[in-house]
Amino acid sequence: MEYRIEHDSMGEVRVPVDALWGAQTQRSHENFVIGTERMPREIIRAFAVLKKAAALANADLGVLDQTTCKVVGQVADEILAGKLDDEFPLMVWQTGSGTQSNMNVNEVMANRANQILGQRRCHPNDTINRSQSSNDTFPTALHIAAVTAIERNLLPAIDLLVRTFRQLEQQNQGVVKCGRTHLQDAAPIGFWQEISGWRGLLEASRDQIRATLPFLSLLALGGTAVGTGLNAPKGFDEAAARHISELTGHEFQTDPNKFHALSGKDAITFSHGAIRTLAANLMKIANDVRWLASGPRCGLGEITIPANEPGSSIMPGKVNPTQCEAVTMVAVQVMGNDATIGFAASQGNFELNVFMPVIAYDFLQSVRLLSDVMRSFNEHCVSGIVANRGKMSQNLHESLMLVTCLNPYIGYEKAAKVAQKAYQDNTDLKHACVQLGFLTAEEFDKVFKPEEMV
């Protein structure tokens, strides 16, 4: 490989001749050979938006000329289009402020801008990073990426699954089945009602996640090194936030307290807490679905789900609830991410939190995985759920908890004796109730109507 010589404040560094990055990126590339997790592309694209907005704000305030502002915006657009993806090789496991990724973006944008201009006009620090610090750009990029991922991917995926459950509710109106609490038989429930519970879990999570967006919309940009705004012109923070809003189509504002914005990560922790709750709700839904589909002959077998793949390398004809398993694996990964984010957010020492790359990686992974798995679950499982009405009816009428409907007529204690006798004698509730002399057969038939108990 051929190299060129680049330099930074620490001296000269060999950089691959065709790379657009410079000395600081190369140092990080060599010093942090840790793992395989690269800085998320969502963060790089958020940085591109941020740098373009910063250039526009600097031009508005008269500290950057229009020609330079225009070419910075052009390079940012190339990054957003994915044309320069190979120029961002750095790992998550680097400096906790994300300084090297900020400089990676600065170096690539400066060198690409100079290519376009045909002259060395743009400097990574003095031009691309003007009025900024890594300490305010990385948290800003994190918030931009988080809001964008939630609004473009996560919320639409939730809505898709909600619509499918609503359709299933309509298809199963009037289908009554045995309810279950503590994994034991309980009073009857409409299958459409059970499905509405699943839908409600998703709708509640959606509303809770949306409620976190105003906190994520507050940006640290303008705080520079420690929150004081050193070397940023007056009004830069508000101008940059306005341009970021225009570029993304999402509403952002400058955080009125930059000291909080740089040192605290409560907004991202709060938001991920709601995302973790979505994961918990999806875990519950997926578990319900695979329990109800268990069998096909020796389980509950009350619903059928699509058979997508052979389920065993040794048992012919076996089919497993694989989409449910994918959902539950994603759920536990998100719960683990939440623990990491919470611990990382607690480590904001003095004026800066230095756990931001891992926070960014885990947050965006959670959003990406949940968005993908909900779409997969919807397409390959939920949309194909069919009620096994015969099995539901059989289980319903064999349930001893139907005795609950007798409470108003014979009282709780007598009804309990009916259920106990039916279980011990392996008979039905009617036979037990008549044998105990609590009701005649005709009286029992008059009040015992399971389908009306929902």
Side-chain angles (χ1 to χ4, degrees), residues 312-326:
S312 173
S313 61
I314 189 172
M315 294 176 282
K318 194 174 193 302
V319 178
N320 297 326
T322 53
Q323 289 294 318
C324 296
E325 291 164 7

Side-chain angles (χ1 to χ4, degrees), residues 73 104 112 205 237 277 330 334:
N104 185 189
R112 177 62 184 139
S205 288
D237 53 355
T277 301
V330 166
V334 171

Side-chain angles (χ1 to χ4, degrees), residues 150 153-162 164-165 202 205-206 209 275 278-279 281-282 285 323 326-327 330 366-383:
I150 287 170
N153 299 320
L154 189 61
L155 295 179
I158 295 173
D159 288 338
L160 178 67
L161 200 47
V162 164
T164 301
F165 279 131
L202 295 173
S205 288
R206 178 187 61 197
I209 291 167
I275 291 168
L278 170 63
N281 286 345
L282 283 168
I285 293 168
Q323 289 294 318
V327 171
V330 166
S366 291
V367 173
R368 191 183 314 115
L369 289 176
L370 286 170
S371 301
D372 289 349
V373 85
M374 281 190 288
R375 293 184 185 280
S376 182
F377 188 45
N378 179 76
E379 179 181 356
H380 299 294
C381 182
V382 175
S383 61

Side-chain angles (χ1 to χ4, degrees), residues 9 18 80 96 154 185 263 269 287 291 293 327 366 392 430 437 450:
S9 60
D18 294 329
L80 290 169
L154 189 61
D185 302 343
S263 62
T269 308
N287 280 337
W291 272 109
V327 171
S366 291
M392 285 183 177
K430 179 178 180 179

